[in-house]
Amino acid sequence: MTAPFLCHMHKKTEKNAVFHMDFTMVTYSSHLKMIDLGKPNNVGKGGGTLDILKLEKVIKNFGGVQALRDVDLNIRQGSVHGLIGPNGSGKTTTFNVISGVFSPTSGKVIFDGKNITGMTPYEIAKHGIGRTFQIPRVMPRMTVLENVMAGMYLRTSTDIMGTFFHLPFKESKQEKHIRYKAMEFLEFVGLDKSAGRWAGDLVWAEQQTLQIARALAGEPKLLLLDEPTAGMGAEESEFIENLIRRIKANGTTIILIAHDVKLVTRASDIVTAIEFGSKIAEGLPEEVKNNPRVVEAYLGTDE
Amino acid sequence: MEQMSRILKIEELSVYYGQICAIKRINMEVFEGEIVTLIGSNGAGKSTLINTIIGLQKATKGKITFMNEDITKVSTDKVIKRGISVVPEGRGMLASMTVLENLQLGAYHKKNVIEQNLEKVYERFPILYDRRLQKAGTLSGGEQQMLAISRAIMGDPKLILLDEPSLALSPAYVDKIFKILVELKKEGMTILLSEQNAKKALQYSDRGYVLDLGETVLDGKSSDLAGNPAVRSAYLGAD
Amino acid sequence: MESFIAQVINGLATGSIYALIVLGMNLLVLVRDIVHQGYAHIIMITMAAGWITLNTSGGNIAMAIAVMVVVGVLVTMATEPLFRPLCKRGAQLETIVLAMSVGIILTEFMSQFVNSGGNFAFPASMRGGGITLTFGLIRLSLANIIALISAVVVALVLLWFMHKTQQGRAIRAMAQNLRVAKMLGIPFGMTGMIGFGIAGFLAAIIAILIIMTIGTCGPSLGDTFAVKSVILMLFAGMGNLKGGLLSALFMGLIEAMALAYLPGSWTQAIFYGVIMLVIIWKPNGLFGTAK
Amino acid sequence: GCGSSGGAETTGSGESSTAQGELTISVLSAITGPIAFVGKPAAWAAEYAAGIINEAGGINGKTIKIDMHDTKFDTAEAVSAMSQVVDDALVVVGPMDAPGGEAAGQVAFDASVTNIAAFSFPDIRAQYSPFAIAYMTDSEEGDLLAAKHWVELNPDIKSIVVFANPTDPSQMATAEMLESGLPEVGVTVKKIIEVETGVLDAGPAAVQAINADVDGYYIGIRADEAAKVVSELRTRGVDEGNRICATFAAFSPNYSDVVSEDALNGTYIWNKLDPNYDGEEWNKLVEAYKADNEGASPTVNPVPDYYNALMAIKQCFEELNITGDPAKLETEKAAIAEWFYNSPVIEGIQGEFQWVEGKKVAPVYFFQFEGKQPVAVK
Amino acid sequence: MSTALSYFIIFCCVFIILTWAAYVPFRAGLLYNGTVYCMAIGGYFAALASKTWHWPFWVCIIGAIVVGAILGFIPALGFSRTSGIVTAVSSMALIFIIQSVIRNIDILGAGRGISGIPKIENLVLYSLILVLIVAVFIFRLDHSRLGRAFEAVQTDPDMAATLGVNVKIISVLGLTISSALGAVAGAIYAFNMRIIYPETFGFSLLLSVMTMLFVGGRYTQWGMFISVPLLWGINKWIPSSLAIYAQIIYGVILIVILMARPEGLVTRKMVAGVGRVFVRK
Ligand SMILES: Nc1ncnc2c1ncn2[C@@H]1O[C@H](COP(=O)(O)OP(=O)(O)OP(=O)(O)O)[C@@H](O)[C@H]1O
Ligand SMILES: Nc1ncnc2c1ncn2[C@@H]1O[C@H](COP(=O)(O)OP(=O)(O)OP(=O)(O)O)[C@@H](O)[C@H]1O
Ligand SMILES: CC(C)C[C@H](N)C(=O)O
Ligand SMILES: [Mg+2]
Ligand SMILES: [Mg+2]
């Protein structure tokens, strides 16, 4: 499952890839079987009727700026929920409120039946929400593989004995295990060939993809993707679209922010449009796309 | 437009960010007194082109000529001094400085015209006069865009570059902004703007270039472009 | 009561010196967003230049002052290019370490090449503070009054400069958003140089005032001022000119009181302990950072 | 004989240099760092002494070579420097500062090398005996002597305050010594006022002192701080100069430069060297120093001390007929330690002195300023 | 082994461990200037334990680790509220505080310090063993779940939080580990010097440590093996006529490295390259 857009990149960097390869990693062999990604977390597949996330009358103010005004949002379990809106309409702010970077000025966020309003980001992450950032944030001085292993923080525990009382160059069982698992996540997003490269050397599109792999590694129930195709070409976008479908197929719920209307239309089950921090339309992609307010605010009116 | 003099000329310009090629061998011209639009989707290279013109981004190859002088390797401040001004993407407010201070800095290289240009700006946008002592960061999006444009004309530039002026603006504001641009054109300024909102932009501009993945795929009169089926399907939302 | 008043005056005298240094450092925060510990050492070197000039010119004060201004401005400006690559990289933490090494070099320069590393005193003619008013224990020297007034005046002038002149606005714009500032045509290097130049000029003024009030200088003077001023600057809020002035005067007072009324050598522990607790309590400083 | 190639040999290695007919003597001094202004003249004095010795034919027919190391006024550097020289050395001069001396002295002690350094605490000397040899007289005892002398001359002084630096162990020890020793002569120490190194404003300290309502002020701190304290005391109402007495650590050009003539007039100070001394060798040294240092005078105490140490080494080596032969290193080292531990009387550059159980016994000098001129008091 | 060499090795061991003590919090994005504070704690503890209570070497070391960790943990709680330049500058205050406190405690020898710390026969061997142990410890830390969490916090605390990392706990952990390491360095230092006093643990020591960290390379644990012998040895290797400029050379090296080689002499890429040479396919 190699991403088409990454192929030509490898030709150039294959030598480098080996060069940067973490030497504890060369024992990796590819005959391991695929594990089921994220499956244990989810009940149904492909858009059940349960709401996994609810935003109730969420308001977020920054000083005088009202970024979110009374936003209600229901995300069905197992669906891909598109979020569109002009720049500055509050999409990223919505993500930040859900993931706990900001606590809302008022309103409630309910995830999986639990009120997570005002929790710290790491607590929310523990509850099973993973996210990516509009501008990719990867750890540049770690290998791609290590980045994904870092994403498994939540699904592992610090094993003092294994960490400190093994021989220096012998890995603990857990390390070995997550190394293989991380490799599988990389294979899943098509970055396996780059596993040994430095994340800082990846190009923008690859960093976006790496972010997704890292978020997936935390095995979230809900994945927030903030413009995963920003700065990508058509071919690359298509790959991401395909990736989103596959993540969904594993049962993970996704909220997707994208400016690319075509992507949103094709990939999402439901779309919400917001403008100036308030919801202006919600429904099936085609409905929303043709909603006059959305056309006016976001897509632009025909003359 | 042949009789007009050429103010900006770009020849075979290529820009790379590391390995990524953001702009591939672009050629374009801007003549005095016209509005030229750069159309392109996200990541097409519009901002990169504008940043390269003002020297914020290094050109990998090619040549940029402004008023018959080569400015390819000239530093940003000197380019601005020669009479180009920019309305940056996302408006580029100096958020914790006041509206007045933002305006004053717009004429950094022409201190002597500040007073008279301030008057003109306040006349055109009375709201800025009311808000002149407010912090720029607390203005609404539309007001910020007005401020950004006003700031760009404070120094009496010959050429204004606008990077997505309609960004995050409600349609009402978008129309207002474009009408202002047309007024500025009438006053003799030359305008080069980048837009994703191709429909509006083509409606108000004289000519346009269509950028895709860093290359100019089409160019011509705005009306021609607007009628072009390829442009219609790709940028004007007509599937 | 008499001794209390005397101690208050002592405290304000020391505080006004701290205030001036903190003002200079804050200016550099506003120019380049750096914490320039070595600024204190530049002041020290400037004083040394004045002393050498006095010695070689046979006590020509005007010439000494002129040399001090030139040295202060040039040395401060010479450190600007060192910080430039770090600023462009946005590596603020590294600038502290860089400034520390500027301090090491200047200190070592002093202990090798100036007066064989010994402390030195300025002649009474330059110390100007000879004129004093004494009421028993209370002593008011002209130099202290001048220093206090200068601190306030410098703060006001800097505030005026940063807010009311085009150059000051440009400096603030650049520290606030380098990218936008460049797009407005503000030259990065030049503006930095101007900012550093002004800080250097201020360094010369401070050097003269320290000569007037303290009258001695030596290789350890830089270190003495550096850490205290940097910590004070954080205590007040980075880049906050008004806050820096008030905090420095206040801490000068506290220090004098602690020296006078606290037992033994707990003074230092208490002084730094209080500052550290306040910084932890309010990481943006008591008066808030400039941004 | 001295081969002409001797100069090309590397220093620091005793073995190879002795083969060339050279004796290496290691000297440690704080050439850089905060006390470089003392350390450099001292190092200079050692080099100068070596030059004098070599001019006169060296020691036992061998030229001597100074192996100079910088301790930077840092204990770790002092230990490190000592460790570098101690394996091949017969005797080591320095470090010059008490903490550095104490730390490095241990390394010399472990290697059974005589170390002529800053051993001013009797307990440390005892611990490292017989290798710990003080290069100067004990400061604390000098202080007590001086203070007693001062109150004798001014019988109306019945109570005093002592200024001391809390970061300097020896000054705090001095203060305590005065506290327990002065009651013998009917004087009480009312308060110890702490003045830290580099203090900017001595005002608070002076006000505190005057508030203590005493008859005399004993200033036990270094020159720069001492100068500030004296100036503050004098401008805040201590009208009679004779109420102030300062320690030898204040005896430096800074002190008389900073304190105005009026303020200095009448105050006392004691010192380990006599600035007005008029001996032939001393004058030669002063001239040479001036020639090398742009006219500055070698007024710091360790200058004659480092010079004297070298001269004592010469006398010792000649009396014991030290060869520097590596084979005999151990026996010679033991003999040297024994010689220094209780030395004969030695003719120093400013008069006679002697070591008794590692302690240097030499006269100290007591002065009263007349204007800026220190005048010896008998 | 010559005295010079054994002291050189021990000092290098002290500074390597001390530089690691500054390296660990830097892994979590904190420039912690409190390492010298922890060193003082470890040094004084070891001095007291061995001289007064006659504890054997290894027990002293373990005791120093425990006491260092505990006394480092307390300020760490405070510093976890701060970040960046604020942590860097305010933690400098710790040095002055600890010096002043020690000066007022008589059983710690007040201003005079503690001398006569028992001599340890095999100190060279022991300190090499300690360096090895700490090296393994840090290697394992760096290549573990916690190490990756540190890295995430260093890159971007907000991003780290979305991975489920509790940034505060990581900061506290980093500073506490740093304190324990600083204490180990202090203990070896005390045993080596056999005398300590408050001024030993001062600002100049801090400057050396920071220089060693930034010159060696603060993104890997291995840079210290180059920078420490280089910088500690500088005035022992250069001719003595230049040795008096050692401090200036020190400063210039640091400035040049900061400007021209921002990651320091040893970068992580280099380490990975060297690693590859040693491990065959
Ligand atoms: N930390 C903040 N402080 C103040 N205002 C903020 C902050 N973050 C966001 N805002 C404001 O909130 C509004 C919504 O911003 P948000 O980033 O959510 O937009 P968005 O929909 O994600 O836009 P884009 O498509 O450009 O990413 C904007 O007006 C923005 O300026
Ligand atoms: N600093 C950078 N480093 C690496 N790549 C960059 C950088 N800036 C832009 N790019 C890439 O260059 C290409 C062109 O970007 P540019 O910002 O010029 O596009 P744009 O047309 O202005 O898009 P938008 O509509 O999003 O503003 C994109 O692929 C982008 O990802
Ligand atoms: C730094 C690592 C990425 C390289 C290698 N695994 C090492 O430790 O040493
Ligand atoms: Mg966004
Ligand atoms: Mg753009």
Side-chain angles (χ1 to χ4, degrees), chain A residues 20-24 141-143 146 169 198, chain E residues 139 143 219-222 268-269 271-273 275:
Chain A
H20 296 318
M21 184 92 80
D22 186 334
F23 67 84
T24 48
R141 288 184 197 82
M142 275 189 162
T143 61
E146 283 172 316
F169 299 105
W198 298 102
Chain E
F139 181 85
H143 295 257
Y219 293 104
T220 91
Q221 80 183 97
W222 307 112
R268 223 179 268 182
K269 290 192 181 182
V271 173

Side-chain angles (χ1 to χ4, degrees), chain C residues 37 89 94 265 269 280-281, chain E residues 81 92 100 207 218 247 262:
Chain C
Q37 272 205 42
R89 238 186 278 140
E94 278 84 340
S265 42
I280 287 172
W281 169 52
Chain E
R81 288 171 49 84
M92 277 181 208
S100 174
L207 284 179
R218 60 203 176 285
Q247 259 340 72

Side-chain angles (χ1 to χ4, degrees), chain A residues 187-246:
Chain A
E187 240 173 77
F188 184 74
V189 302
L191 274 175
D192 51 336
K193 290 253 174 65
S194 303
R197 292 172 65 199
W198 298 102
D201 291 349
L202 298 184
V203 298
W204 179 276
E206 289 172 310
Q207 289 192 357
Q208 282 281 8
T209 318
L210 174 56
Q211 278 204 106
I212 298 177
R214 189 180 60 198
L216 282 177
E219 293 173 30
K221 296 177 205 165
L222 172 66
L223 179 61
L224 312 177
L225 299 178
D226 197 349
E227 300 212 27
T229 58
M232 288 189 185
E235 210 180 343
E236 297 159 344
S237 299
E238 215 165 278
F239 177 78
I240 295 291
E241 191 185 323
N242 187 18
L243 182 60
I244 291 170
R245 291 225 174 80
R246 284 188 286 131

Side-chain angles (χ1 to χ4, degrees), chain E:
Chain E
M1 194 190 300
S2 76
T3 315
L5 184 61
S6 61
Y7 275 92
F8 185 77
I9 293 174
I10 297 170
F11 274 121
C12 284
C13 290
V14 169
F15 280 110
I16 286 172
I17 296 179
L18 198 56
T19 312
W20 276 332
Y23 164 78
V24 171
F26 194 82
R27 296 273 298 141
L30 297 171
L31 184 62
Y32 185 49
N33 284 329
T35 38
V36 174
Y37 153 85
C38 314
M39 187 182 177
I41 289 168
Y44 268 94
F45 181 83
L48 206 61
S50 64
K51 190 186 169 190
T52 319
W53 309 326
H54 308 289
W55 289 10
F57 176 81
W58 291 103
V59 183
C60 290
I61 293 287
I62 292 169
I65 292 177
V66 172
V67 174
I70 292 170
L71 292 184
F73 175 73
I74 297 163
L77 286 179
F79 288 128
S80 70
R81 288 171 49 84
T82 62
S83 64
I85 222 152
V86 180
T87 318
V89 172
S90 56
S91 57
M92 277 181 208
L94 278 177
I95 300 172
F96 300 102
I97 294 172
I98 191 77
Q99 284 187 342
S100 174
V101 168
I102 292 173
R103 250 179 245 136
N104 286 286
I105 299 181
D106 285 335
I107 51 161
L108 297 182
R112 257 304 289 273
I114 300 180
S115 60
I117 301 167
K119 184 177 166 118
I120 305 296
E121 278 313 322
N122 292 315
L123 193 56
V124 178
L125 181 67
Y126 290 173
S127 31
L128 286 172
I129 291 174
L130 278 170
V131 166
L132 188 71
I133 293 174
V134 177
V136 171
F137 175 85
I138 292 182
F139 181 85
R140 302 299 323 197
L141 184 70
D142 275 357
H143 295 257
S144 75
R145 173 180 187 261
L146 281 179
R148 290 186 289 271
F150 272 92
E151 182 81 21
V153 175
Q154 185 196 54
T155 311
D156 182 344
D158 288 344
M159 181 268 288
T162 67
L163 302 181
V165 177
N166 186 338
V167 176
K168 267 197 183 151
I169 287 187
I170 290 291
S171 305
V172 172
L173 186 67
L175 294 178
T176 309
I177 292 177
S178 158
S179 307
L181 294 181
V184 173
I188 306 176
Y189 187 87
F191 283 120
N192 189 34
M193 302 289 291
R194 283 146 73 199
I195 156 184
I196 48 173
Y197 63 107
E199 276 66 45
T200 309
F201 306 102
F203 201 68
S204 63
L205 203 57
L206 175 68
L207 284 179
S208 316
V209 176
M210 285 302 149
T211 312
M212 286 163 180
L213 178 66
F214 277 77
V215 169
R218 60 203 176 285
Y219 293 104
T220 91
Q221 80 183 97
W222 307 112
M224 296 69 184
F225 285 105
I226 294 188
S227 63
V228 169
L230 177 80
L231 294 170
W232 175 250
I234 208 163
N235 58 345
K236 295 153 194 80
W237 295 341
I238 56 179
S240 55
S241 56
L242 282 181
I244 58 163
Y245 304 115
Q247 259 340 72
I248 295 182
I249 297 173
Y250 229 76
V252 171
I253 290 179
L254 183 55
I255 290 180
V256 169
I257 293 275
L258 280 174
M259 288 173 65
R261 215 179 146 79
E263 291 199 8
L265 287 176
V266 180
T267 64
R268 223 179 268 182
K269 290 192 181 182
M270 277 166 68
V271 173
V274 171
R276 211 185 99 258
V277 173
F278 284 115
V279 179
R280 44 190 174 85
K281 288 262 158 161

